[in-house]
Amino acid sequence: MVGAGLTTLIWDLRWLQNSAHRITKLRKILSGEKRSQVTMVERRSWPRTSTPPNTLRSSPHHCLEKPLPSIPHSSERSSLTDDSHIPSHTIAVPRSKFAIMPSTSSTTLPSSTPLPTTTLSTFPSLVSWWLGTILLVLFFLSFITILLLRALLPGIVPRAFSLFSSLYLAGTIIFGGGPVVIPLLREYIVSPGWVSPRDFLLGLAIIQSFPGPNFNFAVYLGALATKGTSVPSFVGALIALVAIFAPGLVIMLGFLGLWQTLEGRAWFQAILRGVNAAAVGLVFTAVYKLSEIGRVGVAGGEGGQPLGGDPWLIFLTAAAFVSGKWFGVNAPVAILMGGTGGIARWAIFIR
């Protein structure tokens, strides 16, 4: 994300283009100086009694041999400037039907009256810039503290704190929307052994079938991660809920205070364009990673097998994409179609 923002900033501000233009201009100047030096050497090599070839007509001194034009007398000048000989009648020019007719009445505003403008800066800010700065500073201090405790005390802290720190980290570094968080949650929750790969994939399928953000999946994982510990499952779900949603909310509130200052800056808009483009790429990466582990029902390993190993699942994936992209099928209908296709596969090939 940082690389994408900086790349767009450098491109929009034309730093590379300006640098290349300066280098090209410097090369032209240097080559011109070399040509001028060569010309001076050639001129010094010419004989003094002879005239250089092809320079007679281009020499600035050949015009001195011609007589200068005489200055007219005052009477002649007055006759030249006198416009009495010009006819007084005017020529009528046909007017185009697209010509703008002069207005008979005009309304002018006083110079002291400003024109009304509507910008985002005219609306009141919910958070002041100093409060936004304080929120951002406190958030980053808490983030560094949690990372230090997570790194220095890996086996001492209880699972509830480990769950909170993992989801707090995931909520902070996630860019690009809900699908991007799924592979990261799998790494932070399934790899330590808190949730089995099968339960992870089944919960993911259930969460995708319901409306709402994919961050809700962390609540399901928090309830399963604290299972078998002294922490109740609903407390684990609340811990996961706060940890996954708090970073984004605090960062958003902090930037609301700085938005009125940064929204009109060209470099800030360039960075946002790069971040958005990188976020789209991360979404496609997350979808690809999910397709590599999305086949439920395979025992062992960190998760399922790729969807590409089952032709029927490939068909269902393609049918859902085509129906939603070109035929306007709603997401709930596509999910029901996928579930029906899974039941048909189970009834025909597995049972």
Side-chain angles (χ1 to χ4, degrees):
M1 303 300 289
V2 175
L6 292 178
T7 302
T8 313
L9 175 63
I10 293 173
W11 179 262
D12 284 359
L13 296 184
R14 303 181 65 84
W15 288 348
L16 294 179
Q17 295 91 324
N18 293 335
S19 300
H21 179 70
R22 292 191 186 97
I23 293 174
T24 304
K25 187 176 181 180
L26 181 60
R27 291 179 60 184
K28 290 181 179 179
I29 293 175
L30 294 178
S31 61
E33 291 180 355
K34 290 181 179 180
R35 285 197 300 268
S36 63
Q37 292 177 2
V38 171
T39 305
M40 292 298 296
V41 172
E42 291 179 354
R43 288 182 178 179
R44 290 175 182 176
S45 63
W46 293 336
R48 294 184 178 180
T49 58
S50 61
T51 303
N54 299 327
T55 59
L56 180 60
R57 304 184 66 179
S58 62
S59 175
H61 301 287
H62 79 281
C63 61
L64 299 178
E65 300 176 0
K66 299 181 179 180
L68 296 175
S70 60
I71 301 175
H73 295 286
S74 60
S75 60
E76 297 178 355
R77 289 199 302 268
S78 61
S79 63
L80 291 176
T81 57
D82 187 11
D83 56 353
S84 60
H85 64 281
I86 301 176
S88 59
H89 64 276
T90 58
I91 301 174
V93 179
R95 181 180 299 275
S96 172
K97 64 178 180 179
F98 300 103
I100 300 176
M101 300 297 294
S103 177
T104 57
S105 62
S106 61
T107 303
T108 58
L109 293 175
S111 58
S112 61
T113 304
L115 295 176
T117 57
T118 303
T119 57
L120 291 178
S121 59
T122 59
F123 294 97
S125 177
L126 299 177
V127 181
S128 59
W129 67 268
W130 60 268
L131 181 57
T133 305
I134 292 175
L135 288 175
L136 291 176
V137 170
L138 292 178
F139 168 73
F140 284 111
L141 288 177
S142 65
F143 179 71
I144 293 173
T145 303
I146 291 175
L147 285 184
L148 290 176
L149 294 176
R150 176 187 172 90
L152 298 177
L153 306 173
I156 301 177
V157 294
R159 181 176 296 185
F161 180 81
S162 300
L163 175 66
F164 179 84
S165 61
S166 298
L167 296 180
Y168 196 81
L169 177 61
T172 302
I173 65 177
I174 283 300
F175 293 90
V180 183
V181 77
I182 303 301
L184 196 61
L185 291 179
R186 176 175 171 269
E187 179 182 354
Y188 287 165
I189 304 298
V190 176
S191 297
W194 301 340
V195 178
S196 65
R198 180 180 176 82
D199 291 339
F200 180 87
L201 294 175
L202 290 175
L204 177 61
I206 295 174
I207 291 297
Q208 295 294 331
S209 303
F210 289 95
N214 285 332
F215 277 24
N216 293 335
F217 186 42
V219 179
Y220 166 83
L221 296 177
L224 291 183
T226 55
K227 184 179 180 180
T229 63
S230 58
V231 180
S233 297
F234 72 92
V235 176
L238 290 177
I239 291 174
L241 176 65
V242 173
I244 197 70
F245 281 102
L249 293 176
V250 175
I251 293 176
M252 179 60 66
L253 287 176
F255 269 104
L256 279 179
L258 303 177
W259 177 252
Q260 290 188 352
T261 305
L262 299 176
E263 63 173 343
R265 306 301 177 94
W267 59 268
F268 185 70
Q269 296 293 334
I271 291 176
L272 289 183
R273 289 177 57 247
V275 169
N276 289 335
V280 174
L282 291 178
V283 170
F284 281 102
T285 303
V287 171
Y288 173 76
K289 289 184 177 181
L290 288 177
S291 67
E292 292 295 315
I293 61 168
R295 189 177 175 184
V296 187
V298 181
E302 288 294 331
Q305 292 181 352
L307 294 176
D310 193 336
W312 183 254
L313 297 180
I314 296 177
F315 170 76
L316 292 179
T317 303
F321 175 75
V322 172
S323 62
K325 176 65 176 179
W326 285 285
F327 295 96
V329 177
N330 295 328
V333 177
I335 291 172
L336 291 177
M337 291 171 56
T340 304
I343 293 175
R345 178 182 179 275
W346 172 80
I348 296 173
F349 299 103
I350 299 178
R351 189 179 61 175

